[in-house]
Amino acid sequence: MRLIYKILIFFSALLIIIPSFGQEFFTGTEYGIAVGGSEYFGDLNQNYGFNYVRPCGGGFVRYQLNPFIALKGVMNYAHVGYDDAYSSNTYNQLRNLNFQSDVIELAV
């Protein structure tokens, strides 16, 4: 039997065996996390360059008050910045501007 068929049978069996909780109508509390990258685009970085990608992440907690109303708290963090040294424009390189900033978002 070819390897691809064995893999398909394996994952099909997993779908049958492992219960799914994605369609639950009402749960008390939910938690989640997010991880990714942040990039600044503005006056210093005008060419959509990805030379200064920095980490970002966050998390949330959602408490279901009833099946239709929930209270959600979110915290996100991102580190953004850019440096004219990454620019291909000679004027920008001579200008030599740069910055770094931490962005923290809290929301309810």
Side-chain angles (χ1 to χ4, degrees):
M1 195 184 242
R2 293 179 55 190
L3 180 62
I4 189 72
Y5 292 127
K6 290 180 182 179
I7 292 172
L8 286 174
I9 291 171
F10 174 74
F11 283 113
S12 298
L14 281 180
L15 290 175
I16 294 169
I17 295 170
I18 298 174
S20 174
F21 298 106
Q23 300 301 319
E24 284 187 16
F25 181 68
F26 179 74
T27 59
T29 306
E30 298 176 3
Y31 306 95
I33 61 170
V35 178
S38 63
E39 174 67 34
Y40 165 76
F41 174 74
D43 292 337
L44 293 182
N45 182 14
Q46 299 176 356
N47 297 324
Y48 293 102
F50 290 103
N51 297 323
Y52 210 81
V53 176
R54 294 293 178 240
C56 69
F60 77 89
V61 175
R62 181 169 49 194
Y63 177 71
Q64 298 277 3
L65 300 173
N66 64 41
F68 304 104
I69 299 174
L71 182 63
K72 182 178 179 182
V74 179
M75 183 180 131
N76 291 315
Y77 166 79
H79 184 79
V80 295
Y82 199 73
D83 194 332
D84 274 341
Y86 296 125
S87 177
S88 60
N89 186 335
T90 306
Y91 171 76
N92 290 352
Q93 290 175 352
L94 292 173
R95 179 177 64 178
N96 197 26
L97 293 176
N98 58 47
F99 79 97
Q100 291 187 18
S101 182
D102 293 324
V103 179
I104 299 172
E105 174 191 24
L106 299 173
V108 176

